[in-house]
Amino acid sequence: MSSLPKRKKTNPFKNNGYKATDAEDSDEFPTPPDHTVVYNLLEVEKPFKKAKYKNSKRIKPTRQHIAAEKAKEWPNDFPTFWSIAQAPSLKPNKKYCDITGLHAFYKDPKTNLRYHNAEIYQAIQQLPPSAEQTYLSLRNANVVLR
Amino acid sequence: MSKTLILDNGSFSIKAGFVTDEACKEFPNYVMKTKQSKMVYVSDLIDKTTDLSGLYFHSPFENGYIVNWDVQLSIWDRLYEDSALNCTPNDTNLVLTEPIFNPPSIKTNLYELIFEEYEFPSLISLSASEFVAKSNYLDLFQKERSVFPDSMIVVDIASIQNTFNRIDVGGLTLTNFLKHIVSYRSWDIRDDYYIANDIKEKCCFVSQNFNYDLKNFKDQSYNNKYHVNYVLPDFTSSKKGIIKISENSENLKDNEQILSVKNERITVPEILFYPSDIGINQGGIHEAVLESIESCPERIRGLLANNIVVIGGTSHLPGLKDRLEKELRKLFPESFDVGVFIAPRNFSWQAGKSVSLNLTQNTDQNNLTSFLSKSEYQEIGSSRTVEYFK
């Protein structure tokens, strides 16, 4: 009987749907690899890879399907996925304060921030420089330099 | 006579059943993997486990189109088993719904699978709304309203093709939005799509007067009847959460985890009418209906406005019918009558059934579609089959 503490089994490939084989379930240590032999890695059996595993190339996102359709020529009045998209609303979008989320009645011409009232305008004026860009980025209105 | 299977392949659940059946069975259209035990459950087999927290969902659908065929195949395989539908594809005719504007590249894959992998002898494949328009189930609404029978018209979809409108808001968008705001405000349910969907179905409703209702939600006291308590499932004694009205908050047990659902109840369905609230730069469903009807000839617009049928799972949100009528009333001329009808559950399945019954009994006068047999398919091939169902 060995006095060694029982080795905790760790399975680094558990997330890949890997199932432990019977041999590994036993408490024996695996035999260490023989470092004197030069292996051809292509021929070495890789137990963590499923032999039947096949990377399915069938998954093609909808985006690609539609882009492929778009490349074809279509008659002008023929309905297609992209031509039937609903137009923007006739009513103007509601505008909300960038700081508080309340209804925005005003817009600061300097920073382009929308704000609710004078109190919040005070806060905007005390903002450190370029901090307004983080607020603007919340509604994708920030200036991106490329 | 060989059997006929009607398969309404929705992105959330599959509604399937034979022509001879009274009602259909529902199967989730997902392959799910549990977080703790790492087991994979296909479709309705998920009922066999209680390990439902943090499920990983694999859906064959993306934006309403089938893209992940491996997942779809494993779900269909499960459907045809003895314990589910007991269907042998070799001697069963198939009536299948497919998404509207399905791209040909997806369609050819679909027909190949149906005829070559499963070997169904014949097939009809149309979009759910086309089935509804072609079925004689529309009479159902006429009886409800007791008006002159000739005010009901069925417009041949093929003849007025450029009247479609699409909004990028669906049931999944609403569930995801609810998931976000609930996770931000109280419990983290980002991993629990299953629960978020259940909350949406049980708690949300469409407000008739949004700004007025929003004020009612502001009262944070326990007696506010607008707030509901959703008791989160613990996955040992209960699989699905239950609703407790706020007034009985003293009756709540200690070991129950409560999610208080407040103005999420109305703000989530409001996206249907104002998608711009979550950054989708499109008009709401009422504007989509208006645009569709305005692109039709002028003399039938009044009739169309009186006969709007809403189908799909999201249409069962309480109050949608009244709100849609109210919004459309503002947009249409005074002389028009506005009538909105919410189709009953599994309506497109029933419509598919009625279409296939009509075909076999030859009662339909203006027969626009027919079954495509396997031998015909082998003659014309998958790419020309796309043109067959039009």
Side-chain angles (χ1 to χ4, degrees), chain B residues 53-111:
Chain B
S53 62
L55 284 178
Y56 299 109
F57 282 82
H58 293 283
S59 170
F61 276 78
E62 192 189 279
N63 296 1
Y65 296 104
I66 311 174
V67 288
N68 203 337
W69 294 101
D70 293 339
V71 174
Q72 188 66 83
L73 276 178
S74 59
I75 292 167
W76 280 349
D77 283 342
R78 163 64 196 151
L79 279 191
Y80 305 142
E81 275 174 20
D82 297 356
S83 53
L85 280 175
N86 193 9
C87 162
T88 43
N90 293 336
D91 59 352
T92 313
N93 302 322
L94 183 66
V95 177
L96 179 76
T97 65
E98 58 176 281
I100 203 161
F101 289 106
N102 211 355
S105 50
I106 295 176
K107 276 184 173 179
T108 47
N109 263 347
L110 183 70
Y111 300 143

Side-chain angles (χ1 to χ4, degrees), chain A residues 41-55:
Chain A
L41 281 177
L42 287 173
E43 287 166 6
V44 171
E45 206 183 317
K46 301 175 189 77
F48 52 87
K49 257 192 164 179
K50 283 183 191 167
K52 281 184 182 174
Y53 179 75
K54 204 175 67 188
N55 185 14

Side-chain angles (χ1 to χ4, degrees), chain A residues 7-50:
Chain A
R7 191 172 68 103
K8 202 185 168 189
K9 268 185 285 179
T10 51
N11 190 345
F13 309 108
K14 208 172 179 182
N15 291 335
N16 302 336
Y18 171 78
K19 270 186 188 169
T21 55
D22 289 348
E24 278 171 293
D25 276 347
S26 63
D27 293 332
E28 288 171 20
F29 286 109
T31 46
D34 188 358
H35 290 293
T36 53
V37 187
V38 180
Y39 288 103
N40 180 356
L41 281 177
L42 287 173
E43 287 166 6
V44 171
E45 206 183 317
K46 301 175 189 77
F48 52 87
K49 257 192 164 179
K50 283 183 191 167

Side-chain angles (χ1 to χ4, degrees), chain A residues 62 65 81 84 86-87 89-90, chain B residues 62 65 70 105 166 283 287:
Chain A
T62 324
H65 282 290
F81 179 84
I84 59 164
Q86 171 65 30
S89 177
L90 293 173
Chain B
E62 192 189 279
Y65 296 104
D70 293 339
S105 50
R166 170 176 57 85
E287 281 172 290

Side-chain angles (χ1 to χ4, degrees), chain B residues 176-317:
Chain B
N176 283 341
F177 182 57
L178 179 72
K179 209 162 72 174
H180 264 107
I181 53 180
V182 168
S183 302
Y184 180 69
R185 287 177 186 173
S186 43
W187 295 98
D188 185 4
I189 55 165
R190 277 176 301 178
D191 289 340
D192 292 279
Y193 172 74
Y194 189 79
I195 294 174
N197 193 56
D198 196 43
I199 298 170
K200 184 190 79 179
E201 283 175 7
K202 285 182 176 157
C203 303
C204 290
F205 67 95
V206 182
S207 159
Q208 300 304 316
N209 188 343
F210 185 69
N211 288 332
Y212 174 76
D213 276 349
L214 206 57
K215 274 175 201 153
N216 290 332
F217 277 101
K218 271 190 179 168
D219 178 18
Q220 296 294 335
S221 67
Y222 272 117
N223 302 325
N224 193 338
K225 59 176 181 170
Y226 285 91
H227 298 173
V228 291
N229 286 320
Y230 179 87
V231 182
L232 291 165
D234 54 5
F235 295 130
T236 50
S237 58
S238 58
K239 276 190 182 178
K240 285 206 167 179
I242 46 168
I243 299 278
K244 286 195 173 170
I245 309 289
S246 294
E247 288 171 61
N248 321 330
S249 56
E250 302 90 47
N251 306 345
L252 298 173
K253 291 174 203 159
D254 290 342
N255 55 353
E256 285 176 336
Q257 287 187 316
I258 305 292
L259 170 69
S260 188
V261 190
K262 292 172 182 171
N263 66 16
E264 297 92 281
R265 292 184 74 195
I266 57 165
T267 50
V268 170
E270 192 67 14
I271 298 171
L272 287 172
F273 294 92
Y274 295 100
S276 59
D277 286 357
I278 54 165
I280 297 172
N281 196 16
Q282 288 181 326
I285 48 173
H286 53 294
E287 281 172 290
V289 172
L290 176 79
E291 251 179 53
S292 287
I293 290 182
E294 285 202 330
S295 57
C296 289
E298 207 166 341
R299 60 201 157 89
I300 64 165
R301 278 182 204 166
L303 297 172
L304 287 173
N306 202 5
N307 295 287
I308 298 158
V309 181
V310 190
I311 61 169
T314 312
S315 67
H316 295 286
L317 285 170

Side-chain angles (χ1 to χ4, degrees), chain B residues 107-126:
Chain B
K107 276 184 173 179
T108 47
N109 263 347
L110 183 70
Y111 300 143
E112 269 169 34
L113 282 177
I114 284 165
F115 285 118
E116 286 164 33
E117 189 121 359
Y118 288 111
E119 300 185 335
F120 280 99
S122 61
L123 166 80
I124 296 185
S125 171
L126 292 173

